[in-house]
Amino acid sequence: MSDKQSDKDEKTGLSRRGFLGASALTSAAVAASGLVGGVMTRDSWAAAAKEAQQKIHVAPGELDEYYGFWSGGHQGEVRVLGIPSMRELMRIPVFNVDSATGWGLTNESRHILGDSAKFLNGDCHHPHISMTDGKYDGKYLFINDKANSRVARIRLDIMKCDKITTIPNVQAIHGLRLQKVPYTKYVFCNAEFIIPHPNDGKVFDLEDENSFTLYNAVDAETMEVAFQVIVDGNLDNTDMDYTGRFTAATCYNSEKAFDLGGMMRNERDWVVVFDIPAVEKEIKAGRFITLGDSKVPVVDGRKKDGKDSVVTRYIPVPKNPHGLNTSTDGKYFIANGKLSPTCTMIDIDLLPDLFAGKLKDPRDVVVGEPELGLGPLHTTFDGRGNAYTTLFIDSQVVKWNMEEARRAYKGEKVNYIKQKLDVHYQPGHLHASLCETSEADGKWLVALSKFSKDRFLPTGPLHPENDQLIDISGDVMKLVHDGPTFAEPHDCIMARRDQIKTRKIWDRNDPFFAPTVAMAKKDGIKLEEDNKVIRDGNKVRVYMTSMAPAYGLTEFKVKQGNEVTVVITNMDQIEDVSHGFVMVNHGVSMEISPNQTSSITFIADKPGLHWYYCSWFCHALHMEMVGRMMVEPA
């Protein structure tokens, strides 16, 4: 950074950030928004914010316009917020253990977690909602677990996870996006880290030809891995076009290095583009391999002897790119530079010619490379031709016009940057309302800032992060809300409230608890009627109903060392009358909502009297909703 950039400019008296903000605004925005000399005054900022804040007030009895789904970061969960109020409505446990609902403890949740139930951690990054014809259909939300290489599916009618898949042959599932048209057939996800194959400790050289990572496609309905593609370099973020043919992913480690210096060695890395129908054709023709114990078809998408694979193309872009976003109009893949101050605009309409060999240079599909600022990470869109990019180092969101950036790339003198807005601090992802669909409405933008520093009451060395709500409905972005968040909400997504249809009570035929229903049927139990104890050797199954304010069984007897399974069916039909079950001093806790069946298994290892109680306040006599387990000595 030069001396002129680092401190206040001697001629203008503006800081570098102030200068950039001033020069980035159009004359129309200046005239419309109370700017003096191209810079918003303190009074004009305050007035703009006050006007915008009136839009975010959701009065008692009113509902938010949008559902927001936030990744819970290292907590391993998904959080549900109302937009624009930014009120947290619910937390959906996915890769974590949650004692309130019993997720990770109940038999139903452990059945969904499968073998990965042994992991008590998760690292959620990218939530995305299933689509039909380029619009959210409200059926599913998908989320990745970078920590343990998993992908999960959440049913949005009950807002609970119903499937979790561990991706074979890879480590660290990071970028995740969905097929947009004609419907979400595939969930595409990047495995970030390069590993040897087989990874048996005999080879540790990442530059070996058998060291690589894979691009993965998961069937959205079955949640089975449909196929994998071997790539050169590593993979970071991904997105798909609006035709259903092309996906693209960024690579920041084309060097296949394991150290920081090595990963920054090349001046350019690349975006790898995948031709999905071509991959399917290769598999149908039997031109694939399998790896290790997995039966998933694997297609080789690497360059060999300088020749392209039929399923991929590698487009050089400035070094260490990060985010990869498809513009709402379907025209561009936009790769965000990270270590370059630029974004790279790839014209999707030119990709068929690139795959057909009609273009001599892969860079021929690049039609814009706007210089935006320091540390561009992710880009979102308002549906009006404008893009919004986070600048991590500058702690700003920059608004820029895509077509003007394309004209500037051709040499035309045009100011494509419309505004730079300070956010606090170091923003990563950002998301505009409906921006991943053809219905992008350009109303709200959320900037997810990694640092909060001085924005909130101090909380010791570990600070909350800061989600900021920005009004983008006019010519000028207006910051209207700060919200502290814990353990890195990495990304978020917004859908209109009419696009999400939730159940008020459970359907008794719901597949969520089907395994428990099958067990009861085998025991000859009618879950809606029976309150019985079934003894099967050392295993005891306790079936009971619940209806506020009482359990169907207020006591049962077992022997020390018995494996006890408690199955409870909530017979309340009234919305919001949930019950809980906690066995004191046994690590046992679960939720049973109206019409739901839940079960949990534990060892009765302590002789004596042990109380159980309802943990969800359900009735004026809630405290009296108790029972006791009597454990006889072995």
Side-chain angles (χ1 to χ4, degrees), residues 121 129 133 367 376 485 591:
N121 70 314
I129 299 171
D133 295 329
V367 295
T485 52
E591 157 231 350

Side-chain angles (χ1 to χ4, degrees), residues 597-633:
T597 293
S598 297
S599 66
I600 194 164
T601 300
F602 58 97
I603 302 298
D605 56 355
K606 306 178 187 72
L609 175 66
H610 303 277
W611 287 90
Y612 54 89
Y613 66 91
C614 177
S615 53
W616 287 82
F617 211 105
C618 59
H619 191 274
L621 295 174
H622 164 75
M623 299 301 293
E624 286 80 2
M625 188 170 174
V626 297
R628 59 185 190 162
M629 176 179 70
M630 295 166 286
V631 182
E632 297 177 334

Side-chain angles (χ1 to χ4, degrees), residues 106-117:
T106 65
N107 297 325
E108 291 76 27
S109 62
R110 291 182 69 83
H111 175 77
I112 291 166
L113 284 158
D115 292 340
S116 72

